[in-house]
Amino acid sequence: MSDKIPVTVLTGYLGAGKTTLLNRILSEQHGKRYAVIVNEFGEIGIDNELVVGADEEVFEMNNGCICCTVRGDLIRIIEGLMKRKGKFDAIIVETTGLADPAPVAQTFFVDEEVQDNARLDAVVTVADAKWLTDRLKDAPEAKNQIAFADVILLNKTDLVTPAEVEEVEARIRGINPYARVIRTVKSQVPLSEVLDRGAFDLERILELEPAFLETGDGHDHHGHDHGHDHHEHGPDCGCGHDHHDHDHDHGHLHAHGGGGLKHYHDEHMQSVALTVSGDVDPEKFIPWVQDLAQSDGQNFLRWKGILSFKDEPRRYVFQGVHMILDGDLQREWKPGEKRDSKLVFIGKDLDKAKLQAGFEATAA
Amino acid sequence: MSSPGSTDTSLADYMRPVLAGSHVTATAFLDTTAVFALGDGTVILANGETTSRLNAHDGASILVAVADGKHLVTGGDDGRVMRINSTGKIEEIGKAPSGAWIDAVAVGPDGAVAWSAGKKAHVRDGKGALFTLDLPSSGRGLCFAPKGFQLYIARYNGVTLWFPRTQGTPKEVAWKGSHLDVTASADGRFVVSTMQENEMHGWRLADNGNMRMSGYPSKVRSMSWSHDGKWLASSGADAAIVWPFMTRDGPMGKPPLELGIRPSRVERVAFHPKAPVLAVGYKDGCIWFIRMDDESILQARSAGEGGPVTALAWSGDGSMLSFGSEEGSAGVLPLPKV
Ligand SMILES: [Zn+2]
Ligand SMILES: [Zn+2]
C-alpha cells in the first residue's frame, strides 16, 4: 500500500478557485514532484513537464451494471505515468466543474493496474462561499462534488459576511458532515491540509462523532492553526435529536446554543452513520454489503466503514462508490482501542432504519 | 526440448544482458540489432557486444514503440513521434499539440507511420503526406490492415476502419465497451481487439460477425499471431491463451489452447516468426519457450529478477529473442536451432 502513488482528485464548480489552488501546488516549494492531469491545458500557468491533458472520457463497463463507469483517459494516463515510476511522488487529477466524481473514484477500484499502482488519497472540492448555496439548488454536479469530498475548501470567504459563511457551511454539513471543511481566501491553505491526507484511510470515521460534527461552538474551527484537528475533540452537540432521522419535514432547520450554527438537511442528499458496539461477523457482514451494493448502491455516492471482525486482530476497512466496493484488512487494533464497527453513507434518499437493522443483524 | 530447468539450464548462459535501467516499453530487432525503447526516453541499440544509447525523447518517457524490421517508431509523453534506424539515426516525424501524449503508434506499408494522440489519429505515408482523422473517443490502439492502405483504430465502443486517402466517413466495427489494442490477421479476414473488460473481441470482416473471447482473469495486453496465421496467442491469464483461427468462423465454438501454465500471470506473448514456438513472458520475470506440437517447454529466463516482463521480440530470422522488464532489466538471447 505504501508504495502506491497517492492521487488527489481536485473538483469544484466553475470559478470556485480550483486553478488557483493547482497553480499554488505546482509553484510552492514543498520538495514534492507532482504529475498533474488537467482538462484545460492552458489554465496552468506553471511550467511542469508532467502536466498532461485529459479528455474526461467516461466509459461504461460492459458488464451490465449501469453505474459501473470509469474514466478511460485516467486509466490510459496512469498506465503511461507508471513508465516514469520514481520520477514523481504523487498525482493530482483536476476535473471540470461539471464532472461527476463517481467515475473518477471508481477508476481506482475497478481497474486492476490502476489499483496496483495508485491509491485515491482524497477528493478535494473547492467551493465558492458566495455562490455555493445557489449552485446546490440548481446544479446537481455541485451537490455531488460536496457529497463526494473528503476535504472541502470553502473559498472566497472574504467576499461574504461571517453569517453567510456559517450559512453555507451549514449547507455543506447538511450534505456531507464527514468532510474536513477549511475556510479559505484565494485558495490559501497549507498544502499539507489538502495533499497526502490519507483521507481514504478513513481514520476519521472512527474518530468523529457525527453529532459533534454537526455543531458549531461559535468560533471558527477552520480559519486558524491547522496544526491539529479540531474535529477530534470538543463538546458534544447535545442538541438531543437525531439529525439523520428523516421522518421530519424536508428542509428542516434549527438553531441551538453555542455558536448558533444552523443545521440543514438537504432534501435528497443525506448522510447516515451507524455503529455496532464490538465485533461483526464477516460471514454475515460481507454478504450483506454485497447485497446492499446491488440493491441500493445507485443511491450511495460514498460509503465507508471500519469494522471489527470477530477473531480478527486487524481492522477491516472498506469503501464504496455506488455499487463498487473495495475493502481489505489493514493495521491491527491497538491495545486499549475500542473495537467498534462503524459505517457511514452519503447518498440520496437513505433509509436509515433499514440500514441500521441490516448492519445490526451482522453483529457477532 | 525437455522439461524446464533440467538439461537446458545452459540456455541462460547464452543470454547477453543489457543494462536498460528503466521501464522497457518495447523491444524489437532492426535486422540483427536489438533495440529497446525505455521509460526514461532513451533507446538502446545492441548488436553483439556493442551497445549504444540514444536520447530519443529528451527528458520524456517513451510510452509506445513499434518496429517494421528496419525502423523503430517511438511515441512519447512529450507528444513527439520519432523514427530511428539501426545506425542510430533519429528523425522526428510527428508532433502532437502541447500537453498531449502519443497513445499509440503503428508502422505500415512503404514506410508509412501512424500515431494517435487523444481524439486524433494521424497517418504519414512513405512519401511524407500527412492525413488526420477526428475520432469519437481516444484512439487507444492502432494497426495497419495487411492489405491496402488502411488503418484500424481501437477506441471506445469499437474499431474505426480508415482509408486515409479516401474522403468520407470511415467504416467501423462496433462492440460496446472500451477497446485497447487491435490486430489484424495476415489474410485480412479478422480484426481482434483487447478490451478493458478482461476479454478480447473479434470481428469477421466478411459478414461483421462478432467473436467474444472471454474468461480472462486480467486485462489482455499482448497478442501475437503464429507464423502461419493459424493461431492468435494472448496474455492475461496464468497461461498463454492461444485461439484457433484456421477456419472461416475463427475460434467460435472452439476452446483455446492453454500453454505454459504457471503460478504467475502471462504479460507478453511472441510467436516465433518461422516455427510453431511461442515465447511467453510472465509477471514474475520468467520467460518460457513453448513448442506448439508437443507443448514441450524450454526455460529462457528464470523468475525473480527485474519484475514483470514488459517486452518480448524475435529477430526476423528467429535466431534471437530480446526481452525487457518493468524494472529495467533486458537482454538478448541467441538461440540454438529450434
Ligand atoms: Zn456498477
Ligand atoms: Zn444540533
Side-chain angles (χ1 to χ4, degrees), chain A residues 57 60 62 79 84 111, chain B residues 77 138 176 197 219 221:
Chain A
E57 291 187 301
E60 286 173 31
N62 193 7
E79 181 186 312
R84 284 189 182 244
D111 187 84
Chain B
D77 60 11
S138 292
K176 201 172 172 299
E197 285 86 358
K219 254 189 259 180
R221 293 315 306 274

Side-chain angles (χ1 to χ4, degrees), chain B residues 94-114:
Chain B
K95 189 151 177 36
S98 181
W101 289 4
I102 305 301
D103 298 319
V105 286
V107 286
D110 308 318
V113 173

Side-chain angles (χ1 to χ4, degrees), chain A residues 35-37 41 49-65 69-73 75-85 87 107 110-114 116-117, chain B residues 22-25 38-40 59-64 77-78 98-101 103 118-119 136-140 155-156 175-178 195-199 212 217-219 221 265 283 326:
Chain A
V36 186
I37 301 169
F41 190 67
E49 62 177 33
L50 275 177
V51 176
V52 57
D55 311 289
E56 297 207 338
E57 291 187 301
V58 175
F59 292 167
E60 286 173 31
M61 293 293 286
N62 193 7
N63 61 3
C65 174
T69 52
V70 295
R71 278 273 302 272
D73 55 333
I75 294 171
R76 172 170 54 84
I77 289 166
I78 288 171
E79 181 186 312
L81 282 174
M82 288 310 131
K83 297 184 168 102
R84 284 189 182 244
K85 226 172 182 174
K87 299 281 170 58
T107 301
V110 167
D111 187 84
E112 191 186 339
E113 273 108 291
V114 169
D116 284 351
N117 290 302
Chain B
S22 174
H23 181 109
V24 181
T25 299
L38 306 181
D40 66 1
S61 187
I62 298 176
L63 301 175
V64 285
D77 60 11
D78 52 1
S98 181
W101 289 4
D103 298 319
K119 292 177 185 171
S137 63
S138 292
R140 198 70 166 78
R155 47 151 177 88
Y156 186 47
W175 186 257
K176 201 172 172 299
S178 176
M195 294 191 71
Q196 172 70 28
E197 285 86 358
N198 297 352
E199 61 186 64
R212 293 188 70 179
S218 301
K219 254 189 259 180
R221 293 315 306 274
R265 191 173 72 201
K283 189 169 186 170
E326 189 173 297

